[in-house]
Amino acid sequence: MLVSGGRRLRTVLQAQRWPFQQSRDMRLVQFQAPHLMGPHLGLESGNGGGVINLNAFDPTLPKTMMEFLEQGETTLSVARRALAAQLPVLPRSEVTFLAPVTRPDKVVCVGMNYVDHCKEQNVPVPKEPIIFSKFGSSIVGPYDEVVLPPESQVGASPLPSPVAGAHHRALSAQRPA
């Protein structure tokens, strides 16, 4: 149910105990919900707030973040209008957040880029950035579990790494010549 008028809309949402905060602290998200087919784009209100369904506001919008971002200012202006319209939000408990970008071509990462992280790991702050890559299939949603093979061992770093001398099904026992 869409209701015109910000004051009336807030009253209706609060009466139904839907999370609604008038805030500019919004972020773009990809999400799924049981009553929706496939992924949708939305605006999350604050951290843990409800989600405005951008695809319901404008069904012509793309349903993936990559397509949305590729269209630039055209789609961003639609998101701004949706925010200004103060639409009803889907309660956070009814949506599942997806990865910000699904199936990326490349994932380039920068490691040890926070002084606090280096201190926490008890390592010196690098003089140059530490760049590494990941497979696109390693990208998961913000609340999804990271699934590791049973033989994986995780050390001080949150990244899984093989242990020297241990047998791993994914690693060959032969050394390169």
Side-chain angles (χ1 to χ4, degrees), residues 51-119:
V51 175
I52 296 171
N53 185 347
L54 291 176
N55 296 113
F57 177 74
D58 184 346
T60 65
L61 283 176
K63 291 196 175 185
T64 68
M65 189 66 73
M66 286 297 285
E67 292 170 350
F68 181 89
L69 295 173
E70 286 169 354
Q71 292 183 21
E73 188 56 39
T74 303
T75 51
L76 288 173
S77 66
V78 173
R80 285 187 200 99
R81 284 197 317 273
L83 179 58
Q86 299 181 352
L87 300 171
V89 296
L90 298 169
R92 173 65 184 89
S93 60
E94 293 181 15
V95 301
T96 301
F97 288 120
L98 304 174
V101 175
T102 47
R103 289 174 274 172
D105 293 333
K106 298 175 187 165
V107 180
V108 179
C109 308
V110 179
M112 304 304 258
N113 54 333
Y114 293 100
V115 173
D116 289 346
H117 181 64
C118 294
K119 288 179 183 176

Side-chain angles (χ1 to χ4, degrees), residues 113-175:
N113 54 333
Y114 293 100
V115 173
D116 289 346
H117 181 64
C118 294
K119 288 179 183 176
E120 180 181 285
Q121 299 296 320
N122 199 25
V123 296
V125 176
K127 293 180 182 179
E128 296 177 358
I130 298 173
I131 308 294
F132 60 97
S133 63
K134 289 184 167 249
F135 290 105
S137 61
S138 68
I139 305 302
V140 297
Y143 303 104
D144 293 344
E145 290 187 24
V146 176
V147 179
L148 299 174
E151 60 272 358
S152 294
Q153 294 185 18
V154 180
S157 168
L159 302 174
S161 57
V163 177
H167 176 73
H168 296 277
R169 71 174 168 81
L171 301 177
S172 169
Q174 297 178 354
R175 292 180 180 237

Side-chain angles (χ1 to χ4, degrees), residues 34-56:
H35 64 283
L36 301 173
M37 289 286 291
H40 280 65
L41 294 176
L43 290 171
E44 181 191 20
S45 173
N47 189 11
V51 175
I52 296 171
N53 185 347
L54 291 176
N55 296 113

